[in-house]
Amino acid sequence: MTEITTLAAEAEKAVAAAQTLDALEEARLAVLGKKGWLSAALKDLGGLSPDDRKARAQMLNEVKDRLGGAIEARKGVLADAAINARLVAEKLDMTLPLGESHESQGRIHPVSQVIDEITEIFAAMGFSIAEGPDIEDDFHNFTALNIPAEHPARQMQDTFYLPKREDGEQMVLRTHTSPVQIRTMRSGPPPYRIVVPGRTYRSDYDMTHTPMFHQIEGLVIDRNIHMGHLKGTLVEFCKAFFETDNVKMRFRPSYFPFTEPSAEVDINCSREGGVLRVGEGDDWLEILGSGMVHPRVLQHCGLDPAEWQGFAWGMGIDRIAMLKYGIPDLRAFFDADLRWLKHYGFVPLDVPTLGQGVAR
Ligand code: DAH
């Protein structure tokens, strides 16, 4: 046997023995790679006499074709085997129960959940959502809302003031969502029907107060709006939110600078055995402030009070969330403790809708 015949026989064995595509490639390179023995032999042809060259070239090309064919055939077998192995390894049993994915472990914060619930209810009544900046100027947060300079709400212990700007303006962290009433009314002509969820800030800290908290504001401005519309809207809201037709409501005369008349709204509850239950019993619990928008507020927004009237209300979201879901301490809301969130949070795909119910 010539040297080439021996090498070719060995190469054929190596190709047949290759168990992976990598091993096969290695065998191919040993023959046909840049430094492979067949490539070298083909290169050496140039040094032979024309007669020798012809015969040897023919022999080498036959070997090359044979080995090339064997390599291709083996490649096909190994590729099929690799696909079959993958198919077996990746087989999914669709009848198995779902494992816990990262997505399913996440939780929606009760404040976000309650905002979704409330906006869902008001959206169904034809309200849209409006928003405004957390950092407000004095005009929107106070003056336009008919809160005069000497009003206690402006005093240092309540309001967070930012350092005075060069132009003398002193911005504040908004103390309520009411400035968005002003922004909405000044942004275009009525009618308006909006709810405004958002962060609000006051210098206060105990079991039921945090320096940052959440409110939701409502505003309706149209022609011929009266207190009956206010009452009807809030009664409908409470029934849907607490999912009970039995909830009793009390509209108590009150005072806010930006409404006239003003009413605080209580709902009935029981406190038996230290457990608070909404919509049961004869006790009362205050849940929001409301009233007919003050004519002076309308004037600050360029609206003629003889033509346009409306009502507004403001409600603390965090407190309502505590109430509805029996969460005792407000401060834990903002501790970013995952154990707390796992306990009180909501499953992301469990989106509140009126069809499925907004209470859990
Ligand atoms: N802005 C008030 C507060 O933070 C709440 C409020 C009361 C808002 C009456 C209103 C309203 O829109 O009409 O205490």
Side-chain angles (χ1 to χ4, degrees):
M1 271 206 269
T2 65
E3 189 202 345
I4 292 294
T5 321
T6 314
L7 286 171
E10 276 172 13
E12 257 170 318
K13 256 191 239 162
V15 167
Q19 294 302 319
T20 63
L21 289 167
D22 283 348
L24 182 64
E25 178 64 3
E26 209 174 291
R28 190 187 71 82
L29 288 174
V31 181
L32 294 165
K34 253 192 211 155
K35 292 180 183 151
W37 54 262
L38 189 54
S39 308
L42 285 164
K43 231 183 265 164
D44 288 346
L45 285 173
L48 298 180
S49 70
D51 283 350
D52 289 352
R53 190 192 303 157
K54 197 174 170 206
R56 190 163 165 86
Q58 196 178 352
M59 186 270 285
L60 288 179
N61 277 320
E62 273 170 24
V63 170
K64 187 179 174 188
D65 288 348
R66 202 171 69 242
L67 286 178
I71 289 169
E72 279 312 304
R74 184 72 189 148
K75 201 185 240 174
V77 171
L78 290 177
D80 281 354
I83 286 179
N84 284 334
R86 244 183 87 182
L87 284 175
V88 170
E90 290 179 0
K91 196 163 68 177
L92 278 183
D93 184 348
M94 304 296 279
T95 64
L96 287 175
L98 277 183
E100 237 200 329
S101 63
H102 291 301
E103 293 85 345
S104 68
Q105 280 176 33
R107 287 293 178 272
I108 302 292
H109 195 282
V111 170
S112 305
Q113 178 79 11
V114 166
I115 290 175
D116 287 350
E117 291 171 3
I118 297 174
T119 51
E120 168 72 12
I121 294 167
F122 283 110
M125 293 193 219
F127 284 73
S128 51
I129 297 176
E131 287 183 316
D134 288 17
I135 296 176
E136 261 302 1
D137 55 31
D138 186 274
F139 175 77
H140 289 91
N141 198 77
F142 296 124
T143 308
L145 286 162
N146 195 32
I147 301 174
E150 67 280 9
H151 194 279
R154 286 192 178 208
Q155 279 171 16
M156 284 302 209
Q157 75 267 24
D158 281 323
T159 307
F160 287 113
Y161 284 91
L162 273 70
K164 253 202 179 112
R165 288 194 319 214
E166 268 175 20
D167 63 4
E169 171 80 53
Q170 192 165 22
M171 304 291 278
V172 301
L173 292 181
R174 66 176 177 191
T175 56
H176 48 184
T177 41
S178 304
V180 186
Q181 289 189 32
I182 305 301
R183 291 187 174 275
T184 301
M185 288 190 275
R186 290 168 68 92
S187 70
Y192 319 106
R193 213 184 285 182
I194 55 156
V195 282
V196 185
R199 294 198 178 94
T200 46
Y201 307 83
R202 282 179 212 174
S203 183
D204 218 345
Y205 189 67
D206 59 34
M207 274 274 281
T208 51
H209 296 89
T210 50
M212 187 282 298
F213 57 107
H214 298 82
Q215 284 191 342
I216 190 157
E217 189 86 10
L219 175 72
V220 171
I221 302 282
D222 208 330
R223 294 189 166 93
N224 304 318
I225 296 289
H226 53 73
M227 201 92 183
H229 295 121
L230 180 160
K231 191 175 172 200
T233 304
L234 295 177
V235 167
E236 271 317 297
F237 163 72
C238 280
K239 279 188 195 165
F241 185 75
F242 293 107
E243 292 215 323
T244 163
D245 282 341
N246 298 332
V247 66
K248 279 187 255 169
M249 295 173 75
R250 186 168 74 168
F251 289 73
R252 217 168 3 87
S254 182
Y255 171 78
F256 299 103
F258 32 89
T259 45
E260 178 59 34
S262 304
E264 278 179 312
V265 176
D266 303 334
I267 53 174
N268 69 320
C269 68
S270 80
R271 293 188 164 88
E272 239 163 71
V275 186
L276 186 79
R277 286 204 180 78
V278 174
E280 295 174 17
D282 300 322
D283 238 346
W284 294 104
L285 183 81
E286 183 203 319
I287 57 162
L288 59 86
S290 65
M292 301 305 291
V293 177
H294 198 292
R296 224 172 287 154
V297 174
L298 293 170
Q299 278 160 350
H300 273 300
C301 301
L303 300 181
D304 178 2
E307 188 179 355
W308 301 102
Q309 308 79 40
F311 62 90
W313 75 93
M315 184 167 69
I317 295 175
D318 317 82
R319 227 168 73 86
I320 282 282
M322 291 169 77
L323 263 178
K324 186 167 175 182
Y325 294 112
I327 310 173
D329 189 337
L330 177 63
R331 290 169 295 196
F333 272 56
F334 311 118
D335 281 348
D337 184 333
L338 275 180
R339 294 164 304 176
W340 182 90
L341 192 59
K342 233 184 157 65
H343 184 77
Y344 287 112
F346 295 81
V347 177
L349 292 177
D350 212 358
V351 179
T353 62
L354 282 180
Q356 289 190 7
V358 292
R360 289 286 178 275

